[in-house]
Amino acid sequence: MSGECVKRKKVLFIAYVFPPISGSGVQRSLKFIKYLRNYGWEPVVVTVGDTKAAFFDETLFSDIPEGIEIIRINRPGIIDDFYVNELFNVYSKIVPVNILNEYISIINKYKLINLNWLLLPDVHIPWANEVIKEIHKYCNFDEIDLIYSTSGPYSDHIIGYYLKKEYNKPWVADFRDEWTNNPMIKPNKKNIVYIVLREMEKKIVEFADKIITTTDGAASNYKKIFNLKDDKVVTITNGYDEEDFKEISLGKNKSNNKDNEKDQNKRFTIIHNGVLYGNRSPIPFINVIKNLVDGNKISKDKIVVYFAYTDKDEEYKAYIKERGLEECIQFSGYLSHKESLKKASNADLLLLIIGEEEKWKTVHAGKVFEYLRLCKPIMGLSPKGSVTEELLTETGRGKNFDFSDYEGMESYILEIYEKWQEDKLNACILKDYKINEDIIKFERKNLTKKLADVFNELIHHKKFLESIKNKIKEKKAIIGIIGLGYVGLPLALTFAESGYRVIGFDKDEKKIVKINEEKVSYIKHIHDSRVKNSVENGRLFATSDLSKVENLDAIILCLPTPLNKYREPDLSFVINSVNGILPFLKKGQLISLESTTYPGTTEEEIIPKIEKRGFKIGKDFFVVYSPEREDPGNLNFTTKTVPKVVGGATKTCLEIGVSLYESVIEEVVPVNSLKAAELTKLLENIYRAVNIGLVNEMKIVADKMGIDIWEVIKAASTKPFGFTPFYPGPGLGGHCIPIDPFYLTWKAKEYGICTKFIELAGEVNTMMPFWVVDKVVEGLNNSEKSLKNSNILVLGLSYKKNIDDTRESPSVELIKILKSKGANVFFSDPYIKKFPKKRKCFFDLESIEITAENLEKMDCVLISTDHDAFDFDFILRHSKLIVDTRGVYRGSYENVIKA
Ligand SMILES: NC(=O)C1=CN([C@@H]2O[C@H](COP(=O)(O)OP(=O)(O)OC[C@H]3O[C@@H](n4cnc5c(N)ncnc54)[C@H](O)[C@@H]3O)[C@@H](O)[C@H]2O)C=CC1
Ligand SMILES: CC(=O)N[C@H]1[C@@H](OP(=O)(O)OP(=O)(O)OC[C@H]2O[C@@H](n3ccc(=O)[nH]c3=O)[C@H](O)[C@@H]2O)O[C@H](C(=O)O)[C@@H](O)[C@@H]1O
């Protein structure tokens, strides 16, 4: 891209370490800046103005392309108590309050007023604070497409964090070194400073849109430690800039005549380029040289070793002097980048000291790539299995040794030395050390392209997400509801009524005809007019053709989740349906599962199938779980007014899920994970099952003691807190409360947990119909009748009042038991004309009318479901015996037995 004709995108490039500050870290930022324009990006650099730094190098400026905007913001003048308070305000936005309070209390307790204790994450935070405060004066954020920050110092990321929050731009955080897991430090993990920094790092890596590390080892540490998704972390290694090597030829550069270069030509020359600091020690290497010299394997005047800058020159010089090696081991001090490369180009062997401990395994020193391009043998010192060892082996450029492997180091030095002595080294380098693909991939230009690719992907992703959200906002999204039952139909109507176009899917053709052609509802408590209106205004259409899924923006699954005959979860409806729609899924769609199920279902059963189709969850496909709370027949709440819990597979999934539901439901409650949302639903239903079990047990106790349980519940309910009333009945019914708890029981077994409350409530509730039948027997007995051949009328067939749903209804169970004992059973239900066909049992019964004549024919009337439509006074007047399981009759009547 020429960049002249196409407008470049702008990246705000936050880098404290920027020319004239030099040192190892600056190269990465400098070269990115140098090449970003080649890939369509214009950097706007934010760096420090006046500063002190260990190394300055004015020559670095020549690498910065003309016209690059550099915003320089000064550090603050004085850091007084006021200023420190300001900084604590910054911390408070990024560190959890309890941890920050603990930190403050420790500072106060031990009077830690030293700035080292107060400046977090490092001494550059006052500068970062100035940037946060001042940047808006220098930068028009409407023109910025993306924010990039690079560490160290880690304060750079604090700026990134704030700016992303404030301006809502994609943010890339580049870690040139790991932070709290940095091999350079050995933190006490209980120390409060470590804890605070760890929290900062966590917030930053979670909030940034992309994390960049310089090695795959560091990337996998980040993923592991902070539980980040694979594609959140990208490795972009350090590299070399081909332009820096213009004047450097392969092999030894003999053209120069300066004294030490002549010396380099006369003696076998080992060079450690760049800086050596912290816990990276040259001592083992010095010992190896000592052994070679003492063992007469290399004569002192035949070898010279150069170190550039080290932070302990004096200590090392003394060590070398004690061993009589001062002639052949020298320290040149800090050199400019150009000078240092030139010097290194005359080496016969390049030395690379990474570090001794295991943690150094994940570190490449930046210089290694320049070493590779210098085409010289390299001797690395790092733990076995390190990324450096891998790199040297892959490129065939050298060998790595761990710090104790003196023998290995000696023999490798000797191997190269002997070639040098026989004057074969140069020829060997020219022949074997070519600049091939393995090396070119580390060219800074190529690595900058990789960075630009990361930027482009984020920008593209942001636009993509915005387009989805806009579709939702403008109600242009097409919603698909799969499963048009008790949950699916009202949900479809709610979306349609709020202005969406909805396609309803069901495999039951009868439901499709009812909706599309008859335009009526097939669920009692849903009014026909709702269906008619939505169909007629073109907002609702039903089909069994799954290929229409490809037209959808959101797919909501409302499919049955029953138990199988072993009382284990039967997910076959959900799984079959997902399999059915898989071929028609496309990028940008959202799937929401609403069926009740155990924690882990969405993650284990749905996501892998979608991923297998090549979609990336949270990137180009979105998955949420949002439990349905529809309460059939409840006139006080509608789908719109019951708060909706949503959990997402990723943050972005959650964002999109919430925006969809928010557009039709008054209150949406986001939770942090799919599993949390799944368990929320189960907790609600288990809570009901257990409490109903408890009150049923209390009913039996109260009955034996001659106490009226209904009076007791009424009295207990006057307590304004801490008591929620539940009512006894003939048992538990419905598709949900008797079944859902066992989804958790099943899953809990996987974790070795036995859900005792659930089992116990199940037992109590299941035996209720038997207890009720015993009460019928007792009542008949009082009139000297047997159950056998008695006429029993069961009032209400549905599982609860005012609905027409008979799933798991205790009335059905009662009929079954009564029939098995030889009773003549009848039923009456205003909403159910015929006993429905059921898998487990069927009785050829039709609802009878409640007339005086019919009631008088009965030996017992058993109130199982207390529909409001029943005239209970009339029933009381005309029945010989009533067994009341629902507390309909609160006074005491001769012909009523409470059960
Ligand atoms: N009924 C209720 O009040 C509530 C139910 N739930 C949960 O919601 C889920 C759905 O329950 P309901 O709506 O009651 O079930 P339902 O049985 O009334 O409706 C399910 C619908 O899905 C259809 N279906 C089955 N397989 C299909 C497939 N492969 N493709 C297309 N359609 C298919 C059926 O024909 C039926 O119309 C369950 O997990 C349930 O536990 C949650 C809250 C309340
Ligand atoms: C009010 C409420 O929380 N409803 C949730 C519930 O609905 P459902 O239609 O199963 O009603 P509900 O729990 O009242 O009756 C079940 C049985 O218990 C009996 N029942 C009830 C209460 C009582 O005190 N005593 C009693 O015996 C009763 O007689 C029944 O036999 O589960 C749905 C689901 O997850 O699918 C949720 O979406 C709903 O929000």
Side-chain angles (χ1 to χ4, degrees):
M1 199 187 302
S2 83
E4 297 307 322
C5 42
V6 181
K7 196 169 176 295
R8 293 187 198 108
K9 286 171 278 238
K10 273 194 179 174
V11 49
L12 192 74
F13 199 102
I14 304 161
Y16 177 93
V17 176
F18 195 73
I21 300 176
S22 71
S24 343
V26 75
Q27 286 297 322
R28 184 174 176 87
S29 298
L30 186 62
K31 302 299 182 183
F32 282 153
I33 297 291
K34 180 172 173 184
Y35 291 116
L36 267 171
R37 279 181 176 171
N38 293 25
Y39 304 105
W41 283 85
E42 178 72 21
V44 175
V45 180
V46 181
T47 188
V48 67
D50 55 341
T51 186
K52 312 168 201 97
F55 313 112
F56 280 98
D57 186 348
E58 301 278 344
T59 67
L60 297 177
F61 280 115
S62 62
D63 259 345
I64 302 176
E66 213 168 295
I68 296 277
E69 187 182 346
I70 301 175
I71 301 172
R72 292 194 178 271
I73 295 182
N74 290 342
R75 304 165 67 95
I78 299 165
I79 300 171
D80 54 14
D81 286 356
F82 267 133
Y83 202 89
V84 169
N85 272 346
E86 221 176 289
L87 294 177
F88 272 79
N89 195 30
V90 172
Y91 308 157
S92 72
K93 308 267 165 44
I94 200 162
V95 178
V97 64
N98 57 332
I99 292 177
L100 193 61
N101 284 345
E102 193 186 333
Y103 174 62
I104 292 170
S105 77
I106 289 178
I107 286 178
N108 290 337
K109 188 167 162 197
Y110 298 104
K111 306 209 173 359
L112 299 169
I113 46 165
N114 182 324
L115 278 184
N116 282 341
W117 265 86
L118 302 176
L119 302 184
L120 299 175
D122 47 55
V123 293
H124 301 295
I125 188 68
W127 169 72
N129 184 39
E130 292 304 302
V131 175
I132 293 166
K133 287 193 300 186
E134 302 288 316
I135 187 77
H136 65 99
K137 293 186 193 158
Y138 303 93
C139 176
N140 176 1
F141 275 87
D142 290 343
E143 289 177 1
I144 298 291
D145 296 285
L146 186 140
I147 298 162
Y148 167 93
S149 55
T150 176
S151 60
Y154 298 98
S155 286
D156 289 17
H157 296 316
I158 307 284
I159 303 173
Y161 178 86
Y162 264 76
L163 297 188
K164 175 177 163 77
K165 253 206 155 127
E166 173 102 23
Y167 298 101
N168 190 24
K169 304 279 173 186
W171 168 37
V172 176
D174 176 55
F175 287 84
R176 301 198 304 275
D177 300 297
E178 286 182 69
W179 183 348
T180 53
N181 190 44
N182 193 312
M184 202 61 96
I185 48 168
K186 273 200 197 126
N188 168 1
K189 295 194 172 170
K190 290 194 179 128
N191 184 303
I192 187 68
V193 174
Y194 172 84
I195 294 169
V196 170
L197 296 189
R198 183 61 193 247
E199 287 298 326
M200 281 184 166
E201 185 174 23
K202 180 167 181 275
K203 259 284 187 24
I204 281 165
V205 298
E206 280 172 359
F207 193 51
D209 296 285
K210 217 39 130 191
I211 299 300
I212 301 183
T213 58
T214 55
T215 68
D216 287 340
S220 75
N221 281 348
Y222 267 105
K223 285 181 221 165
K224 218 168 33 213
I225 296 172
F226 295 102
N227 200 12
L228 303 176
K229 293 236 175 241
D230 270 356
D231 58 357
K232 172 103 185 227
V233 191
V234 177
T235 304
I236 301 182
T237 62
N238 282 312
Y240 69 91
D241 184 3
E242 188 54 42
E243 285 194 9
D244 292 339
F245 292 81
K246 267 194 240 153
E247 289 154 28
I248 291 168
S249 53
L250 296 189
K252 204 153 184 164
N253 285 271
K254 299 208 180 221
S255 56
N256 292 308
N257 243 347
K258 287 185 204 146
D259 275 356
N260 69 1
E261 279 158 6
K262 269 197 284 174
D263 199 25
Q264 281 183 215
N265 286 333
K266 275 192 283 166
R267 299 165 79 179
F268 178 67
T269 306
I270 302 178
I271 291 185
H272 184 277
N273 204 17
V275 295
L276 186 68
Y277 60 98
N279 58 6
R280 301 168 142 168
S281 169
I283 300 295
F285 170 77
I286 295 171
N287 293 343
V288 165
I289 298 296
K290 168 90 176 134
N291 291 348
L292 287 170
V293 169
D294 287 358
N296 292 326
K297 291 180 181 150
I298 301 182
S299 145
K300 248 192 218 180
D301 57 356
K302 282 282 176 210
I303 183 164
V304 62
V305 179
Y306 291 105
F307 284 97
Y309 171 86
T310 86
D311 60 351
K312 299 184 194 83
D313 269 11
E314 291 316 311
E315 184 186 323
Y316 298 146
K317 278 181 188 163
Y319 188 85
I320 287 162
K321 198 167 172 202
E322 264 172 39
R323 280 149 189 82
L325 292 173
E326 60 270 46
E327 230 179 279
C328 50
I329 303 184
Q330 298 176 17
F331 294 83
S332 63
Y334 184 75
L335 298 173
S336 78
H337 186 236
K338 273 200 178 125
E339 277 175 297
S340 80
L341 278 185
K342 201 162 207 182
K343 192 169 172 73
S345 72
N346 283 314
D348 299 301
L349 175 64
L350 290 164
L351 174 62
L352 183 68
I353 298 180
I354 301 289
E356 190 168 1
E357 287 99 10
E358 276 298 289
K359 273 195 181 175
W360 286 105
K361 266 187 169 175
T362 61
V363 175
H364 284 149
K367 59 176 91 57
V368 72
F369 303 100
E370 292 177 342
Y371 278 18
L372 292 175
R373 172 57 184 78
L374 281 167
C375 300
K376 307 271 177 184
I378 302 167
M379 187 170 96
L381 268 75
S382 72
K384 283 268 146 231
S386 68
V387 289
T388 300
E389 180 169 75
E390 241 170 64
L391 186 65
L392 296 184
T393 315
E394 268 169 23
T395 52
R397 284 287 204 262
K399 283 194 181 150
N400 178 67
F401 302 92
D402 70 35
F403 278 63
S404 58
D405 186 6
Y406 283 23
E407 252 177 53
M409 285 188 252
E410 278 177 42
S411 74
Y412 188 55
I413 294 173
L414 270 181
E415 179 191 325
I416 309 291
Y417 172 74
E418 274 158 17
K419 276 189 192 142
W420 175 83
Q421 219 182 15
E422 290 162 19
D423 215 8
K424 289 183 184 154
L425 186 58
N426 241 352
C428 167
I429 284 174
L430 291 173
K431 180 170 155 279
D432 296 335
Y433 288 62
K434 297 255 159 55
I435 305 169
N436 54 24
E437 282 305 306
D438 285 348
I439 309 295
I440 288 174
K441 70 177 178 203
F442 298 116
E443 228 195 287
R444 293 280 190 188
K445 222 189 248 177
N446 296 334
L447 297 167
T448 308
K449 176 175 185 305
K450 228 174 150 183
L451 183 70
D453 288 345
V454 169
F455 291 176
N456 288 333
E457 186 201 316
L458 286 177
I459 293 293
H460 179 254
H461 186 56
K462 189 167 185 244
K463 282 202 186 124
F464 177 63
L465 294 184
E466 273 164 8
S467 75
I468 296 173
K469 283 189 197 156
N470 282 341
K471 254 189 175 179
I472 292 173
K473 210 158 120 198
E474 293 160 14
K475 308 242 161 113
K476 286 188 179 142
I478 305 179
I479 315 295
I481 309 280
I482 304 195
L484 295 171
Y486 284 87
V487 166
L489 182 63
L491 193 67
L493 291 169
T494 306
F495 274 102
E497 286 157 2
S498 85
Y500 284 102
R501 274 174 59 209
V502 179
I503 306 182
F505 296 80
D506 207 294
K507 62 178 186 184
D508 179 353
E509 294 291 343
K510 279 192 230 136
K511 288 188 175 129
I512 291 163
V513 170
K514 289 250 182 217
I515 293 177
N516 291 346
E517 291 165 30
E518 298 172 27
K519 298 173 193 158
V520 293
S521 159
Y522 40 85
I523 295 174
K524 193 216 131 242
H525 58 274
I526 293 171
H527 209 274
D528 288 346
S529 64
R530 290 186 67 192
V531 177
K532 188 167 187 280
N533 288 343
S534 289
V535 173
E536 283 183 351
N537 65 23
R539 301 227 169 271
L540 176 64
F541 163 77
T543 180
S544 58
D545 175 7
L546 290 180
S547 72
K548 297 222 160 32
V549 162
E550 67 189 5
N551 303 324
L552 302 176
D553 297 292
I555 303 154
I556 304 183
L557 305 176
C558 304
L559 295 151
T561 44
L563 292 173
N564 67 16
K565 61 179 173 185
Y566 306 109
R567 297 194 68 72
E568 290 167 345
D570 173 6
L571 289 177
S572 61
F573 293 92
V574 173
I575 289 172
N576 290 342
S577 161
V578 171
N579 287 340
I581 62 173
L582 270 182
F584 309 109
L585 297 184
K586 60 166 198 211
K587 278 189 181 176
Q589 287 175 325
L590 167 78
I591 280 199
S592 172
L593 176 65
E594 295 213 0
S595 306
T596 308
T597 186
Y598 57 80
T601 306
T602 318
E603 236 164 70
E604 292 156 19
E605 301 295 337
I606 296 188
I607 289 182
K609 288 181 187 292
I610 298 170
E611 283 176 333
K612 251 198 181 153
R613 271 234 35 215
F615 294 115
K616 290 208 175 96
I617 307 297
K619 295 281 166 230
D620 55 14
F621 205 96
F622 309 95
V623 179
V624 296
Y625 177 81
S626 179
E628 184 51 63
R629 287 166 155 176
E630 172 80 13
D631 189 30
N634 190 329
L635 300 178
N636 300 324
F637 294 93
T638 60
T639 311
K640 223 175 149 58
T641 60
V642 180
K644 194 106 174 82
V645 171
V646 186
T650 66
K651 263 191 193 156
T652 313
C653 292
L654 180 62
E655 240 175 74
I656 295 187
V658 167
S659 68
L660 177 72
Y661 283 115
E662 246 171 16
S663 68
V664 292
I665 285 166
E666 283 173 10
E667 189 188 342
V668 175
V669 185
V671 293
N672 278 326
S673 63
L674 293 165
K675 282 186 182 147
E678 287 161 334
L679 188 57
T680 302
K681 174 69 188 176
L682 290 187
L683 173 64
E684 290 166 12
N685 285 4
I686 289 165
Y687 172 84
R688 282 187 83 69
V690 168
N691 279 291
I692 295 168
L694 172 69
V695 84
N696 278 334
E697 186 174 84
M698 291 295 289
K699 164 176 81 170
I700 297 172
V701 177
D703 183 74
K704 279 275 180 234
M705 294 179 170
I707 304 168
D708 181 356
I709 188 72
W710 296 94
E711 186 188 2
V712 173
I713 295 169
K714 195 172 168 200
S717 302
T718 58
K719 186 177 177 187
F721 50 87
F723 182 84
T724 305
F726 284 86
Y727 303 99
L732 261 192
H735 177 48
C736 301
I737 310 293
I739 291 169
D740 302 345
F742 295 96
Y743 266 69
L744 189 68
T745 300
W746 179 82
K747 190 66 179 176
K749 278 190 195 136
E750 199 179 300
Y751 295 82
I753 296 167
C754 170
T755 52
K756 294 190 195 129
F757 269 105
I758 296 175
E759 301 285 357
L760 186 59
E763 267 172 44
V764 174
N765 290 326
T766 317
M767 54 88 62
M768 279 329 292
F770 293 94
W771 191 81
V772 169
V773 169
D774 283 350
K775 285 283 172 189
V776 173
V777 170
E778 193 184 308
L780 292 172
N781 216 22
N782 292 343
S783 329
E784 288 162 15
K785 284 186 194 148
S786 69
L787 180 56
K788 195 167 181 184
N789 289 331
S790 284
N791 294 335
I792 315 282
L793 172 62
V794 174
L795 286 191
L797 196 60
S798 61
Y799 73 86
K800 69 175 185 180
K801 67 155 122 176
N802 306 338
I803 62 164
D804 60 353
D805 190 346
T806 62
R807 288 179 292 180
E808 308 289 321
S809 174
S811 307
V812 173
E813 201 53 34
L814 286 170
I815 294 175
K816 215 160 90 185
I817 303 169
L818 290 168
K819 280 228 169 230
S820 71
K821 293 189 184 296
N824 303 318
V825 186
F826 305 84
F827 85 91
S828 177
D829 193 304
Y831 309 118
I832 301 157
K833 291 203 174 67
K834 255 179 99 58
F835 191 98
K837 288 214 163 70
K838 298 209 162 271
R839 254 184 304 147
K840 285 189 214 144
C841 67
F842 174 69
F843 301 109
D844 190 11
L845 294 174
E846 285 190 11
S847 173
I848 63 166
E849 251 185 87
I850 303 210
T851 59
E853 197 189 351
N854 277 342
L855 289 171
E856 276 150 20
K857 266 201 263 171
M858 299 297 155
D859 298 301
C860 176
V861 172
L862 172 55
I863 302 177
S864 181
T865 310
D866 50 343
H867 291 304
D868 290 338
F870 287 133
D871 181 347
F872 289 110
D873 286 337
F874 181 81
I875 293 167
L876 182 66
R877 281 200 304 279
H878 297 281
S879 305
K880 290 181 207 119
L881 169 68
I882 297 174
V883 173
D884 173 12
T885 70
R886 295 283 187 179
V888 170
Y889 302 106
R890 294 293 162 94
S892 75
Y893 302 94
E894 254 184 23
N895 59 342
V896 176
I897 292 184
K898 290 178 184 163

